[in-house]
Amino acid sequence: MTAISDCFNTLRQNRECALIPFITAGDPDLSTTAAALQVLDHHGADLIELGVPYSDPLADGPVIQAAATRALQQGTKLEQVLEMLQTTTQSLRSPIILFTYYNPILYRGIDKFLQRIAAAGVSGLVVPDLPLEEAEGLLKPASEIGIDLTLLVAPTSSPQRIEAIARSSQGFIYLVSVTGVTGMRNQIESRVSDLLAQVRSLTDKPIGVGFGISAPAQARQVKEWGADAAIVGSAFVKRLAEGTPEQGLQAIAEFCQTLKTAIKTPDPSTPNLPKTKN
């Protein structure tokens, strides 16, 4: 069983929803990123998504794009990110999910890339510009090395496509709550409830909802709709970037703890769900 599957199984047994914060590596610098991973790990994160800065982040909204730009201006490279992780993940409880675009993977070579991130302690991988039709070339070798490649379901996906993505996705299924890019929004669209029910009818794999969650009430809402995880990105990135690094770290610690408190209390009316199939 992978670290991600084990984490979700434990949470399901306790009837808890996972909190998955996202931050951008290298913003404002890699030493702050390492500290941020420790802070999130100690203040309620169950898994942590770490974005590799990329020059053309098509799936990212303005907050995360700006963070990636700042990181790249600092000279942040993939290898530096992995070196930082190799010394940091050993002391983390939360599995690390690397968020990266496909071009850096192809540039390095799929097998070499997977071997390197595994050595750095990475447990999962999200590649937002990798379509299902081209995913097999990464899914199989990732599975063999123990890396979960999680695929994204869009609000516009057909039932047939959702079923195919659910069947192939590893670790969990990433349900995108909106059509468009990442970013903070005032409320979660009610259709997410129907999307969750639709995906749930097709699989017993964990489902994480992301893109747009920026407040405790929104995280609680997706939990009540049946999500296994609330994925929160821009709101963390924004807080970490404000003020000094120390102030940013304090801000994400408080925000992480508030979010986890909002989703931690189990709903007694919610039935126990089956364990994840492996």
Side-chain angles (χ1 to χ4, degrees), residues 150-168:
T150 294
L151 303 180
L152 284 73
V153 169
T156 54
S157 299
S158 67
Q160 294 79 13
R161 188 171 184 81
I162 291 174
E163 184 173 11
I165 292 171
R167 187 167 53 248
S168 296

Side-chain angles (χ1 to χ4, degrees), residues 57-183:
L58 300 177
D60 295 320
V63 171
I64 297 177
Q65 283 190 24
T69 298
R70 291 190 296 267
L72 291 171
Q73 288 173 345
Q74 291 282 345
T76 305
K77 306 290 185 184
L78 173 62
E79 185 56 35
Q80 295 172 323
V81 174
L82 297 176
E83 288 173 358
M84 178 275 296
L85 282 174
Q86 195 152 2
T87 60
T88 306
T89 53
Q90 299 172 29
S91 61
L92 298 179
R93 170 189 54 83
S94 308
I96 296 296
I97 302 166
L98 202 66
F99 182 104
T100 184
Y101 289 84
Y102 199 35
N103 192 57
I105 299 174
L106 288 177
Y107 179 79
R108 183 171 285 229
I110 289 175
D111 290 338
K112 288 183 179 179
F113 175 84
L114 291 171
Q115 290 167 5
R116 182 65 186 94
I117 68 172
V122 171
S123 299
L125 188 60
V126 174
V127 185
D129 60 344
L130 178 66
L132 174 64
E133 292 76 12
E134 299 177 22
E136 185 58 34
L138 188 55
L139 279 163
K140 189 174 185 294
S143 178
E144 290 172 350
I145 205 169
I147 300 287
D148 283 328
L149 175 61
T150 294
L151 303 180
L152 284 73
V153 169
T156 54
S157 299
S158 67
Q160 294 79 13
R161 188 171 184 81
I162 291 174
E163 184 173 11
I165 292 171
R167 187 167 53 248
S168 296
S169 189
Q170 300 166 344
F172 66 103
I173 297 157
Y174 194 130
L175 177 59
V176 177
S177 68
V178 295
T179 302
V181 297
T182 61

Side-chain angles (χ1 to χ4, degrees), residues 185-256:
R185 290 167 174 83
N186 293 327
Q187 62 183 19
I188 302 296
E189 296 184 18
S190 59
R191 65 173 173 169
V192 174
S193 176
D194 295 332
L195 282 168
L196 272 165
Q198 182 179 13
V199 179
R200 177 68 67 213
S201 71
L202 298 169
T203 181
D204 63 0
K205 291 179 182 177
I207 305 167
V209 176
F211 284 48
I213 299 174
S214 60
Q218 295 170 334
R220 177 74 181 183
Q221 181 67 82
V222 298
K223 173 191 179 293
E224 291 175 348
W225 283 339
D228 296 283
I231 305 166
V232 184
S234 295
F236 275 106
V237 173
K238 182 176 183 294
R239 282 168 171 79
L240 186 56
E242 292 176 342
T244 65
E246 291 74 19
Q247 290 171 328
L249 291 169
Q250 180 63 31
I252 65 169
E254 294 172 357
F255 184 53
C256 189

